[in-house]
Amino acid sequence: MPSSYQAPNRKAEEKNKTMSQSTNTNTSSDVATVQKVLDQKGGSVFSIRPQDTLGDAVKVLKERGIGALLVTDANGELKGILSERDIVRKLADTPGQTLPQQVSDVMTTAVQTCTPDEPMVSVLRRMNEGRFRHMPIADGSGLIGMVTIGDLVNYRLTELEHEALQLKQLIVG
């Protein structure tokens, strides 16, 4: 046997080990927040006034291709939210007399909001428990956007697809 040969030992094997996961990566505090969705979606806020009619609201919903409008006063303060569901319920209650009614008579006034740094899973849980699909985002300066349950689900699906692709690349090499 040549004198330069050394049999493998435990310390040499440990140096060559690689891991795709570790305690640090599995318990990372990098939590997906509402801000990440807002960064992708943008912070457009579409609103209407309480004294506007449901007819006005329906036009804005159609033009913008959205499912809900924030109801704000002249100062931009949140007074309520008006969703397609609210309008449909009112249509069933007052057929043929719905569109001239004021937004303030139909809107939901107990509006839950979230902050940009709130974890998405927390917002999803609140939306699911409250059975609503739209949540305004507010920070210290006021309203900065709106997130929908669809936005949150799409973000997470994209995230899962990316993770699956990374795993596939890791396996294939």
Side-chain angles (χ1 to χ4, degrees):
M1 199 173 351
S3 61
S4 63
Y5 173 78
Q6 289 185 335
N9 62 36
R10 185 169 289 207
K11 286 184 181 178
E13 288 176 9
E14 286 177 5
K15 287 181 186 176
N16 293 329
K17 279 186 181 178
T18 61
M19 289 187 278
S20 63
Q21 295 185 27
S22 68
T23 304
N24 287 342
T25 61
N26 287 337
T27 59
S28 166
S29 64
D30 184 27
V31 175
T33 62
V34 171
Q35 183 64 54
K36 291 184 179 184
V37 173
L38 196 57
D39 291 343
Q40 286 184 349
K41 178 182 181 174
S44 297
V45 177
F46 300 108
S47 63
I48 197 161
R49 300 279 183 259
Q51 64 272 18
D52 290 339
T53 67
L54 293 182
D56 297 330
V58 167
K59 286 178 191 168
V60 176
L61 290 170
K62 180 182 178 275
E63 288 169 4
R64 300 290 184 181
I66 55 177
L69 287 166
L70 299 179
V71 183
T72 57
D73 65 14
N75 299 323
E77 186 180 330
L78 184 63
K79 295 297 177 186
I81 190 168
L82 180 71
S83 72
E84 293 169 324
R85 282 183 180 176
D86 295 328
I87 296 168
V88 168
R89 283 187 197 110
K90 197 62 167 175
L91 279 168
D93 292 343
T94 58
Q97 304 163 15
T98 305
L99 296 181
Q101 295 183 45
Q102 286 192 338
V103 168
S104 59
D105 295 333
V106 182
M107 69 185 190
T108 300
T109 55
V111 183
Q112 288 193 38
T113 64
C114 63
T115 61
D117 59 345
E118 189 169 342
M120 278 190 255
V121 68
S122 166
V123 173
L124 271 170
R125 188 172 291 118
R126 289 201 290 145
M127 292 172 96
N128 188 49
E129 289 169 1
R131 301 188 53 79
F132 54 90
R133 299 177 291 178
H134 302 84
M135 187 179 287
I137 308 165
D139 65 6
S141 66
L143 295 169
I144 60 170
M146 174 129 62
V147 69
T148 68
I149 204 156
D151 296 332
L152 298 172
V153 169
N154 284 334
Y155 183 91
R156 185 61 184 135
L157 285 174
T158 302
E159 209 175 44
L160 288 170
E161 288 171 356
H162 181 69
E163 289 172 17
L165 181 61
Q166 285 180 319
L167 285 172
K168 186 176 180 181
Q169 289 174 342
L170 182 68
I171 293 167
V172 173

